[in-house]
Amino acid sequence: MMREHLNRRLLANPPSGIRRIGQAAKAIPGCIALTIGEPDFDAPMSVRERISEAILGGDTHYPPNAGYPDMLAQVAEHLNGRFGCDYSPDEVVLTVGSTQALASTLFAILNPGDEVIVPVPAFGLYKPQIEMAGGIFVPMDVTQDGFQVTSARLASAITPRTRAVLFASPNNPNGEVLTAQSLAVLRDAAIQHDLFLIADSVYDRLVYDAAAPTLMGDPTLRDRLIYVSGLSKPYAMTGVRVGYAAADAPVMAQIVKAHSFLVVSVPGCVQRGCMGVFDLSIDAMLAAYRRRRDYVYGRLLSMGMDVRLPGGAFYIYPSVAKYGMDSDTFCGRLMHEGKLALIPASCFGTEGHVRISYCYGMDMLAEGMNRLEAFIQTLHK
């Protein structure tokens, strides 16, 4: 009976499908999982040492809501140096992971009933976050467009209630990098229809063949572009939980306000641990991910799977459409018959594909590909 009095927006959104599948895999003896987007490397030793020193040194009090000024200055310097933009430290906020940066952004810009267009397939947390902030999630399926954004597709999704477009490049679940042409479509629509653009850029350091095109530094978007990223993926710091966002000062003031209401601040000792992190090289990790990507891609091609070479992140997204079953059925059978857990496209708002995470060691990837190949051979028979 009390269920009737709970938050209807929250009730309407189930728990994470990725986590659910991971738990199901653990209950199957001998099953292995290539499901989680978590680097198998450890956080840099210098970060761990600084966190220890900070907390042992007494940094256990409230820091400023947005973050320590010196850490904010480092984030601003990093972004300005990469993109040729001009963010000041007071246009940056440190958050508890990039997920909380997105939540604070949505709470800051949305009014009840505002629509947020999201190119799908997309990370599963976008929908519940938009709806909990009072907005309406508007999926825009770009599967047939090579996972790019076209002017025709975007124009058909925009209504008078559209307030923002939330996009990721590189993308989770498929590792696709938006082209300069796709970004130009987003830019033109934002200006024409007075929209915010929320760029989930948590993977934009993890690109393999060329730097990802960006809208950062475009002065025409200064008042409407919100950049979100974090340290979790490029620095193998998922459990440290540090993200950040950058936006024009009036917008950032509201994001910081929402952030302070949600979590108050990122722990001070953690912030101290992250000082200097942007000076660390990620080349070794990037090279390892590239080798794994190329290996998994080659194995999938040899199995006869339809698959695109991802340009970034650490996911690959082969099609399973030709096997005569939806992605949930494919993954369910693979998990029980082939002892391998993957993530179905239904977790990302579309159909016909499965996500494979390759942020696992080569031995695990090889075993996973062997099991997938054996399962596909049974389907052919």
Side-chain angles (χ1 to χ4, degrees):
M1 181 177 67
M2 290 306 295
R3 180 181 171 87
E4 300 173 2
H5 303 294
L6 297 175
N7 187 313
R8 289 188 294 275
R9 292 171 181 153
L10 193 57
L11 287 170
N13 284 284
S16 165
I18 297 172
R19 297 285 181 172
R20 172 179 54 80
I21 291 167
Q23 289 299 316
K26 290 179 181 179
I28 299 174
C31 186
I32 64 173
L34 301 178
T35 54
I36 299 298
E38 178 173 30
D40 60 329
F41 302 94
D42 292 325
M45 181 59 71
S46 60
V47 172
R48 289 180 273 161
E49 289 175 343
R50 288 193 187 101
I51 292 174
S52 298
E53 293 167 359
I55 197 166
L56 291 173
D59 196 341
T60 57
H61 302 279
Y62 284 127
N65 291 129
Y68 284 129
D70 44 0
M71 189 61 205
L72 296 177
Q74 288 192 11
V75 175
E77 181 181 4
H78 170 72
L79 295 177
N80 295 341
R82 283 184 67 196
F83 302 122
C85 42
D86 60 348
Y87 289 101
S88 63
D90 63 359
E91 294 178 307
V92 173
V93 62
L94 294 179
T95 59
V96 183
S98 60
T99 300
Q100 194 250 312
L102 288 170
S104 297
T105 294
L106 293 167
F107 275 105
I109 69 171
L110 294 183
N111 286 296
D114 283 349
E115 296 175 353
V116 181
I117 296 171
V118 178
V120 294
F123 187 39
L125 290 186
Y126 294 160
K127 179 178 182 290
Q129 285 199 345
I130 289 166
E131 293 178 350
M132 290 173 67
I136 297 173
F137 172 78
V138 179
M140 182 180 69
D141 193 339
V142 297
T143 305
Q144 301 305 314
D145 303 318
F147 303 111
Q148 297 296 321
V149 178
T150 66
S151 55
R153 188 83 63 186
L154 184 56
S156 68
I158 293 174
T159 76
R161 300 301 302 271
T162 305
R163 176 55 52 220
V165 181
L166 168 54
F167 63 96
S169 181
N171 179 267
N172 175 9
N174 55 32
E176 294 285 343
V177 175
L178 289 182
T179 63
Q181 182 177 357
S182 287
L183 295 181
V185 169
L186 291 169
R187 173 192 174 279
D188 292 346
I191 294 172
Q192 180 181 352
H193 298 281
D194 195 21
L195 309 177
F196 284 106
L197 295 177
I198 307 170
D200 182 354
S201 307
V202 72
Y203 295 104
D204 72 355
R205 302 279 307 281
L206 301 179
V207 291
Y208 304 108
D209 304 308
T214 182
L215 293 172
M216 292 286 279
D218 186 334
T220 64
L221 297 175
R222 187 66 161 78
D223 61 344
R224 65 187 68 248
L225 178 65
I226 302 167
Y227 177 92
V228 171
S229 192
L231 305 180
S232 294
K233 309 299 184 178
Y235 295 102
M237 289 168 53
T238 52
V240 179
R241 308 307 303 134
V242 177
Y244 54 89
D248 199 39
V251 179
M252 180 51 65
Q254 299 309 303
I255 295 174
V256 170
K257 190 190 300 183
H259 160 75
S260 68
F261 292 159
L262 288 168
V263 300
V264 180
S265 61
V266 174
C269 59
V270 173
Q271 294 186 46
R272 294 301 187 201
C274 295
M275 292 291 296
V277 70
F278 295 116
D279 296 328
L280 302 178
S281 173
I282 63 170
D283 289 348
M285 276 192 290
L286 196 59
Y289 293 143
R290 182 185 288 108
R291 289 193 297 271
R292 297 171 186 182
R293 177 199 67 164
D294 293 346
Y295 170 76
V296 174
Y297 177 68
R299 288 293 305 270
L300 295 175
L301 287 179
S302 72
M303 297 175 207
M305 297 195 80
D306 298 324
V307 63
R308 295 166 60 92
L309 181 68
F314 32 56
Y315 310 108
I316 195 165
Y317 202 56
S319 171
V320 296
K322 68 181 180 182
Y323 300 113
M325 63 188 89
D326 62 31
S327 62
D328 284 288
T329 303
F330 183 94
C331 287
R333 287 188 57 182
L334 176 61
M335 187 159 48
H336 288 89
E337 299 172 27
K339 306 296 185 184
L340 174 66
L342 305 177
I343 305 298
S346 60
C347 290
F348 309 105
T350 57
E351 251 312 322
H353 294 77
V354 296
R355 188 189 80 171
I356 301 171
S357 169
Y358 54 84
C359 52
Y360 294 84
M362 288 298 294
D363 290 344
M364 177 76 83
L365 292 175
E367 179 61 22
M369 293 302 99
N370 291 341
R371 295 185 184 194
L372 178 59
E373 185 170 20
F375 174 72
I376 288 175
Q377 288 175 349
T378 67
L379 298 181
H380 289 315
K381 292 178 183 178

